[in-house]
Amino acid sequence: MFTTVTLPFTAADPFIMRASDGVYYLYCTTEDETGLNGTGFPVRASVDLIHWEDRGFALSKETARWGVGNFWAPECYEIGGKYYLFYSADWKENPTGALENFRIGVAVSDTPAGPFKDISDAPIFDPGYPIIDANVLEDDGRFYLYYSRCCYEHNIDGLEESWIYGVELKPDFSGVIGEPVLLLRPEQEWEGRSAAATGRRWNEGSFIMKKDDQYIITYSGNFFGGPDYAVGYAVGSSPLGPFCKAGENPILECHGDVTGTGHSCMLHSPEGELLICYHGRTLKTGHDRIGFISPASLSDGKLSIHP
């Protein structure tokens, strides 16, 4: 039976993919001395989710075609024999001088460790506001992109808010089909715990999975740099909702000496157990975000985490 594992390296915004060869690959955000400015995406490989091997960098600021900084939240998918890395970065096209100019792009490789090359010299699309935290779902041969609209200049009743949207992707990932659909926004009490100190409320870092005829989307709320960062979930009947948030949220928050738990993804152990991977902080690690993998369970549309 799987028990919680603390990863022996920093791993902000961790994402784990199990490739067709059975090997797990973990992608994450790097942090500089400010804890913010990601410069690229390190890759590590494991067969048991406990012992990990460094596989270098999947993509970096030096090799990217459209991004110039703040390389965040990579997620990799094996599709049609190739590997596609979706990620956020600061777009070099910034005619208005916006302080936050994040967009989402995709790079491709023949191997899960890369190196990856951007499929274009531009992001996938430009919704007219900064976006981060890409997540992708394949459902009945169609692909859907989920992302977070940043709080930046998004004032709602005196607070800046981050919202989660979904939109269908073109089959070659060169753009989107139709208009983005608002899926989740801060509404529950726990999602405002850091609002007084920051002037912001967040729904971000989403991950969606399908179980039978239900779509379960996890997300993070509150300030990522504080102790109240936590994970909730919502359930819907279609890829683009509507979604109903669970009343028992948050399902993952501070536990033991671990705080700031969030930006999670779901996966299965080699034995088929449902797991959640997320980052957090401890007194020992200080500001650095390290990765954790904990058991989870899903029954009758109810998701539970067992850290």
Side-chain angles (χ1 to χ4, degrees):
M1 185 174 180
F2 198 92
T3 57
T4 293
V5 170
T6 302
L7 300 177
F9 45 81
T10 58
D13 308 328
F15 181 83
I16 297 178
M17 173 197 67
R18 191 180 193 187
S20 55
D21 62 2
V23 177
Y24 293 94
Y25 292 86
L26 185 148
Y27 308 81
C28 62
T29 301
T30 59
E31 294 183 308
D32 65 10
E33 64 276 5
T34 68
L36 287 174
N37 190 17
T39 56
F41 305 124
V43 186
R44 294 176 176 86
S46 174
V47 295
D48 59 7
L49 298 172
I50 298 172
H51 304 92
W52 295 87
E53 176 187 325
D54 190 347
R55 292 292 183 88
F57 271 71
L59 185 81
S60 69
K61 179 179 178 179
E62 289 71 29
T63 59
R65 295 175 62 188
W66 63 270
V68 293
N70 296 312
F71 287 80
W72 296 342
E75 297 200 359
C76 188
Y77 302 87
E78 184 176 358
I79 302 168
K82 291 186 178 295
Y83 298 87
Y84 292 87
L85 186 78
F86 291 80
Y87 67 94
S88 318
D90 209 4
W91 190 15
K92 62 185 178 182
E93 298 293 332
N94 189 5
T96 65
L99 296 178
E100 296 186 10
N101 196 43
F102 316 127
R103 297 295 187 273
I104 287 169
V106 58
V108 64
S109 174
D110 292 326
T111 67
F116 287 79
K117 295 183 179 180
D118 285 312
I119 68 170
S120 170
D121 61 0
I124 296 173
F125 79 118
D126 179 14
Y129 48 81
I131 59 175
I132 58 173
D133 297 348
N135 178 241
V136 174
L137 173 72
E138 181 179 2
D139 188 47
D140 292 332
R142 300 164 74 176
F143 292 90
Y144 298 88
L145 173 69
Y146 302 84
Y147 66 85
S148 306
R149 174 176 183 166
C150 295
C151 291
Y152 179 66
E153 295 185 347
H154 188 221
N155 193 294
I156 306 296
D157 298 328
L159 292 172
E160 289 187 316
E161 290 192 349
S162 173
W163 294 358
I164 293 172
Y165 288 80
V167 65
E168 187 174 352
L169 282 167
K170 291 182 178 179
D172 62 358
F173 309 140
S174 64
V176 299
I177 299 171
E179 294 297 320
V181 178
L182 172 61
L183 304 180
L184 300 173
R185 57 179 294 185
E187 297 172 302
Q188 295 184 321
E189 179 278 331
W190 70 275
E191 298 166 344
R193 291 174 182 170
S194 59
T198 63
R200 290 179 160 184
R201 298 202 307 168
W202 286 267
N203 277 182
E204 63 176 21
S206 62
F207 178 89
I208 192 164
M209 59 183 174
K210 184 179 182 181
K211 175 66 173 178
D212 300 324
D213 59 349
Q214 290 185 317
Y215 298 82
I216 295 93
I217 185 168
T218 61
Y219 65 96
S220 299
N222 293 301
F223 175 46
F224 86 96
D228 294 320
Y229 205 46
V231 175
Y233 78 101
V235 179
S237 57
S238 78
L240 296 179
F243 286 88
C244 180
K245 291 183 178 181
E248 65 269 23
N249 286 341
I251 56 169
L252 177 65
E253 54 185 331
C254 301
H255 57 86
D257 66 342
V258 181
T259 67
T261 54
H263 203 109
S264 59
C265 69
M266 308 297 297
L267 65 149
H268 288 87
S269 73
E271 293 72 35
E273 300 169 86
L274 184 64
L275 307 173
I276 184 170
C277 180
Y278 54 98
H279 70 228
R281 297 180 174 90
T282 68
L283 288 176
K284 182 178 179 180
T285 61
H287 191 276
D288 291 339
R289 290 175 284 180
I290 58 173
F292 301 87
I293 305 174
S294 293
S297 58
L298 178 61
S299 179
D300 296 326
K302 184 174 181 178
L303 180 63
S304 300
I305 309 301
H306 313 289

